[in-house]
Amino acid sequence: QVQLVESGGGLVQAGGSLRLSCAASGGTFSTYAMGWFRQAPGKEREFVAAIGWTGFDTHYADSVKGRVTISRDKSKDTLHLQMYSLKPEDTAVYYCARKGDYSGNYDYTPSYDLWGQGTQVTVFS
């Protein structure tokens, strides 16, 4: 059974950078599009970024565009989210997720059928 495991979260000062990673345990996600979502306390889970299975197409939420880069290493079967210029409002639990369909709706949460446990990112000013 495939599981997704995130890492790289932590405490960072506003303006700083952080790199999140996601790896598959017990299987692979190399043929799936993948995404990153986040959920802040008291808020709904929201889309952050997604990448197609080839790695050539990427999609970003307007709130993070220009400050994050999603990438994948198919040789290592890992997914990454490089975040720059972090703001306190970026504080949330970040989840990687596997997109279970082939629709173009990359920001549509129900399109993702496998989720990791999440990693906490806390940005302080």
Side-chain angles (χ1 to χ4, degrees):
Q1 184 176 350
V2 181
Q3 292 183 317
L4 302 178
V5 181
E6 302 96 336
S7 61
L11 188 65
V12 62
Q13 191 169 18
S17 302
L18 213 54
R19 187 181 191 232
L20 307 183
S21 297
C22 176
S25 173
T28 178
F29 54 68
S30 63
T31 60
Y32 292 86
M34 298 292 294
W36 285 98
F37 289 74
R38 66 185 182 186
Q39 188 166 19
K43 295 188 177 181
E44 291 188 356
R45 191 169 298 189
E46 65 174 1
F47 169 75
V48 176
I51 188 167
W53 74 272
T54 64
F56 292 126
D57 58 318
T58 56
H59 312 266
Y60 297 96
D62 289 341
S63 60
V64 301
K65 200 172 292 184
R67 297 191 300 116
V68 308
T69 301
I70 188 171
S71 62
R72 66 192 305 166
D73 184 334
K74 295 181 76 67
S75 66
K76 297 180 180 179
D77 208 13
T78 53
L79 177 73
H80 303 286
L81 186 72
Q82 179 69 55
M83 302 188 290
Y84 310 90
S85 302
L86 284 162
K87 305 175 182 180
E89 50 264 44
D90 293 318
T91 294
V93 177
Y94 284 70
Y95 300 89
C96 69
R98 183 184 72 182
K99 194 171 187 296
D101 63 29
Y102 296 96
S103 72
N105 299 326
Y106 288 91
D107 60 349
Y108 187 52
T109 305
S111 289
Y112 294 80
D113 64 353
L114 184 66
W115 296 79
Q117 298 274 8
T119 185
Q120 176 71 46
V121 172
T122 303
V123 184
F124 64 95
S125 56

